[in-house]
Amino acid sequence: AYIQMIRGAQNFIYLESQYFWGSAFSWLKNDQVSCDHLVPAEIAQKIVEKMHNGERFVAYIVIPMFPEGDPGGIPVQVPLYWQTRTIEMMYKRVADAIKEAGNGTHPTGKL
């Protein structure tokens, strides 16, 4: 359902999630984690495709600033690490597309 929503979106995506990670096959490091669902990669791809078509598209991804639990504990740190790898991958894909397009914007204008 998420993939269909992303692929059909015209102007923006708004997603709220307690945890946001996935598409580990595209992470810049530690890509051997079994966290392979496509949602983050699909969102990044949608932005890249819209940029190549000269269309505006934005993804709003709302995640908690402070997850539940002891911030230094393993049950909190592991998801935060995976989330960081996911966001890093998405920013890299969008930044590469921006650089290729030469339009001088920043990934934070899209994600």
Side-chain angles (χ1 to χ4, degrees):
Y2 277 109
I3 301 303
Q4 288 177 345
M5 175 203 65
I6 294 164
R7 290 180 181 172
Q10 296 299 310
N11 300 305
F12 70 93
I13 293 170
Y14 179 88
L15 176 69
E16 289 185 29
S17 183
Q18 182 174 356
Y19 303 106
F20 184 73
W21 62 68
S23 305
F25 54 85
S26 294
W27 290 355
L28 304 181
K29 57 183 176 179
N30 302 102
D31 61 349
Q32 300 306 311
V33 174
S34 182
C35 184
D36 290 332
H37 72 80
L38 299 175
V39 170
E42 286 283 337
I43 292 171
Q45 184 60 33
K46 181 71 171 196
I47 294 168
V48 169
E49 286 174 4
K50 289 287 193 171
M51 286 175 53
H52 286 304
N53 293 335
E55 300 174 51
R56 179 169 165 26
F57 191 85
V58 179
Y60 302 97
I61 303 167
V62 180
I63 53 178
M65 184 179 289
F66 301 106
E68 290 184 32
D70 174 13
I74 296 296
V76 171
Q77 288 300 304
V78 169
L80 287 175
Y81 179 80
W82 290 355
Q83 201 161 267
T84 300
R85 297 288 73 79
T86 300
I87 294 168
E88 176 185 56
M89 173 272 300
M90 294 175 75
Y91 266 63
K92 171 100 172 73
R93 289 181 71 181
V94 172
D96 288 349
I98 289 170
K99 184 184 281 186
E100 184 180 309
N103 65 9
T105 59
H106 191 272
T108 56
K110 306 288 183 186
L111 282 170

